[in-house]
Amino acid sequence: MTTRLRVLDDGAWISVDNYREVRVSELWRLDSDEFCACDLTDLIVENFQTVGVDGSTVEVRVYGQCIACGASGTTGWIPVGRILDGSFTEIDRSVVRHPRPETNS
Ligand SMILES: [Zn+2]
């Protein structure tokens, strides 16, 4: 069984098997040295760039802005949820997320 992951509405939603599961305008906390100089990035998610899956983990790259320092840009791959037994569960929104550097191209 394949899970279908798509970005909809010009980056406003992540769709999982045709259900709109994750939307922009949320605040995510990132532990990333690459995005900005803050110890923790308080990222306003403005736009989903692309979505993928690594094992059971659904990951996205997002365009957003750190509300603490104002830096903006595109992140590495950030976990957003998991596929378990064919259904999607979003990870807790309060967790600190660890972007994964791109491994190719
Ligand atoms: Zn910052």
Side-chain angles (χ1 to χ4, degrees):
M1 186 164 53
T2 304
T3 302
R4 281 175 295 173
L5 298 165
R6 287 190 296 170
V7 176
L8 296 182
D9 298 342
D10 296 325
W13 287 92
I14 297 296
S15 157
V16 182
D17 286 337
N18 296 326
Y19 289 97
R20 291 172 186 223
E21 296 278 10
V22 188
R23 66 157 299 160
V24 292
S25 303
E26 292 181 353
L27 183 65
W28 291 0
R29 310 192 77 198
L30 303 186
D31 183 357
S32 171
D33 293 336
E34 295 176 354
F35 191 85
C36 69
C38 300
D39 285 343
L40 283 178
T41 302
D42 285 319
L43 183 77
I44 291 283
V45 178
E46 295 182 2
N47 195 270
F48 295 119
Q49 303 289 302
T50 184
V51 59
V53 64
D54 179 31
S56 62
T57 303
V58 178
E59 301 176 316
V60 295
R61 298 188 69 197
V62 306
Y63 180 86
Q65 184 170 35
C66 175
I67 61 172
C69 72
S72 61
T74 302
T75 67
W77 290 99
I78 302 173
V80 68
R82 290 181 184 284
I83 305 288
L84 289 175
D85 296 329
S87 62
F88 176 79
T89 303
E90 190 172 356
I91 65 173
D92 192 310
R93 293 177 192 191
S94 65
V95 302
V96 175
R97 303 168 196 238
H98 299 269
R100 167 168 78 74
E102 285 214 70
T103 52
N104 51 16
S105 71

